[in-house]
Amino acid sequence: MLPLKQCPVCKGVEFRPFAMDTWTPERLHFAQAQCKACGILAAQPQASEIEIENYYKHYYYQEQWSDPEAYWVSNTEMFSRYEFPLIKQLWADSPPPAAGEVAEVGCGYGITLDFLQRAGYRVRGCELSSKAVAFCRSKGLDVVEGKSPGMPLPRQAFDMVVTRHVIEHVSDPRLFVEELVQLAKPGGLIVIVTEDAYITQYAWDRFRHKLAGKIPNYRSSTDHTFVFQGGHLRTLLADAGCGDVRTKSFSYGSMNESWHWRLYKNLFRTLDKLTGHGEFLMAVGCRK
């Protein structure tokens, strides 16, 4: 594991401790720090590039998300109900052309590609896991195996480039966003979906731990290298050559949860809406 010496967004070099869990062998990270200048959350120390690549090639889909059919059903519902309507809302002024070409980076089991293909777009995907690539191809999807940097997809070829729940896993988000923008045609859209660094439920949990004199727990997934707020994504996309970058937070509805847990979470979700936050964050930018 390697110490993070500089913030990838603002180039700050000072970090404050933020959260910590007990280390276990299956975890990529166990401690989290916050940049004093811009507030981004970062694993500190961080898994090396080789450790991250091996984790997603040989563990993530084999162990954590081992049932592609179940994952396909649940994620198709979430994307169609929450994310695709929000994408259309954020791109309203400059939608991609009908039957336009779309690339998804880190496409996993291909849920988004399949949905967009059925919506009339021509789709291609790139994914690190050979297991996930094989499953995508079994569904008739055009997916290549590869990673960033160096994705084996043509540059300036796509009307829209989508990446869902990937940027939080990479070791260099600035380089990752630059490569996403390079894939898009001039005027093409870049869509990024990730975890929101701030929700009121986690803020309350941190407050309770501090009152008890304890180090707050690691609330985001321990395989997330960075956790962003809207301003961070706006900066990365703008610096990479995008204009008119728009962001919005959102949350999924309660599913298959006990009534008291739904009541608890929905209370915080209401507070999130009032403060402009949510469990997830979407950014849409247009390449200049």
Side-chain angles (χ1 to χ4, degrees):
M1 302 193 83
L2 305 170
L4 177 67
K5 296 182 179 180
Q6 186 179 68
C7 172
V9 176
C10 73
K11 307 300 183 181
V13 296
E14 293 188 73
F15 300 89
R16 62 172 67 90
F18 191 80
M20 181 175 289
D21 277 352
T22 302
W23 180 84
T24 57
E26 71 276 7
R27 288 181 172 176
L28 267 182
H29 306 113
F30 64 92
Q32 201 173 45
Q34 185 176 46
C35 175
K36 288 185 177 181
C38 74
I40 194 173
L41 302 183
Q44 181 71 302
Q46 296 188 351
S48 68
E49 188 69 35
I50 293 175
E51 289 172 320
I52 292 174
E53 182 173 344
N54 287 335
Y55 180 83
Y56 292 107
K57 270 191 145 182
H58 306 299
Y59 177 83
Y60 191 70
Y61 286 105
Q62 285 80 356
E63 301 292 336
Q64 191 167 344
W65 302 106
S66 58
D67 187 346
E69 293 293 351
Y71 187 80
W72 184 281
V73 172
S74 62
N75 274 263
T76 297
E77 181 180 356
M78 293 297 99
F79 183 75
S80 62
R81 182 186 297 182
Y82 298 101
E83 294 180 40
F84 191 57
L86 183 55
I87 291 173
K88 291 195 292 184
Q89 176 186 331
L90 293 178
W91 81 27
D93 294 338
S94 54
E101 293 192 71
V102 177
E104 184 182 12
V105 175
C107 61
Y109 287 133
I111 291 91
T112 306
L113 290 177
D114 177 72
F115 183 94
L116 293 173
Q117 184 170 262
R118 287 187 285 108
Y121 297 99
R122 292 170 289 161
V123 301
R124 297 183 68 183
C126 180
E127 168 57 46
L128 177 61
S129 165
S130 57
K131 176 184 177 180
V133 170
F135 182 80
C136 288
R137 290 174 177 171
S138 75
K139 295 285 189 178
L141 297 169
D142 181 4
V143 175
V144 295
E145 187 172 338
K147 69 182 185 74
S148 177
M151 287 180 283
L153 292 172
R155 271 43 181 174
Q156 297 193 51
F158 299 97
D159 299 292
M160 182 166 66
V161 179
V162 180
T163 183
R164 296 175 59 242
H165 309 292
V166 177
I167 191 173
E168 65 269 26
H169 299 277
V170 304
S171 57
D172 189 340
R174 181 171 287 275
L175 182 61
F176 179 71
V177 172
E178 288 173 355
E179 192 164 15
L180 294 178
V181 175
Q182 290 167 11
L183 296 178
K185 298 174 182 178
L189 296 173
I190 295 86
V191 178
I192 299 174
V193 180
T194 186
E195 176 187 8
D196 194 326
Y198 179 90
I199 60 173
T200 51
Q201 180 184 343
Y202 290 174
W204 169 244
D205 287 345
R206 285 182 55 76
F207 179 70
R208 289 192 299 110
H209 277 82
K210 287 186 174 182
L211 280 181
K214 299 178 180 179
I215 298 175
N217 288 340
Y218 207 123
R219 288 303 182 187
S220 56
S221 173
T222 53
D223 56 33
H224 292 180
T225 308
F226 294 97
V227 190
F228 305 86
Q229 295 186 49
H232 301 129
L233 298 185
R234 288 193 294 272
T235 295
L236 291 174
L237 282 165
D239 288 352
C242 284
D244 192 23
V245 180
R246 303 177 183 185
T247 61
K248 190 171 180 64
S249 294
F250 65 100
S251 295
Y252 294 155
S254 301
M255 294 182 62
N256 302 320
E257 297 167 338
S258 63
W259 68 267
H260 55 280
W261 183 240
R262 289 201 303 271
L263 182 65
Y264 177 76
K265 288 185 74 173
N266 286 335
L267 169 63
F268 286 111
R269 283 171 177 152
T270 300
L271 294 173
D272 286 338
K273 288 181 180 179
L274 294 174
T275 57
H277 289 279
E279 295 170 305
F280 305 105
L281 177 65
M282 181 180 292
V284 175
C286 183
R287 180 174 182 174
K288 293 180 182 178

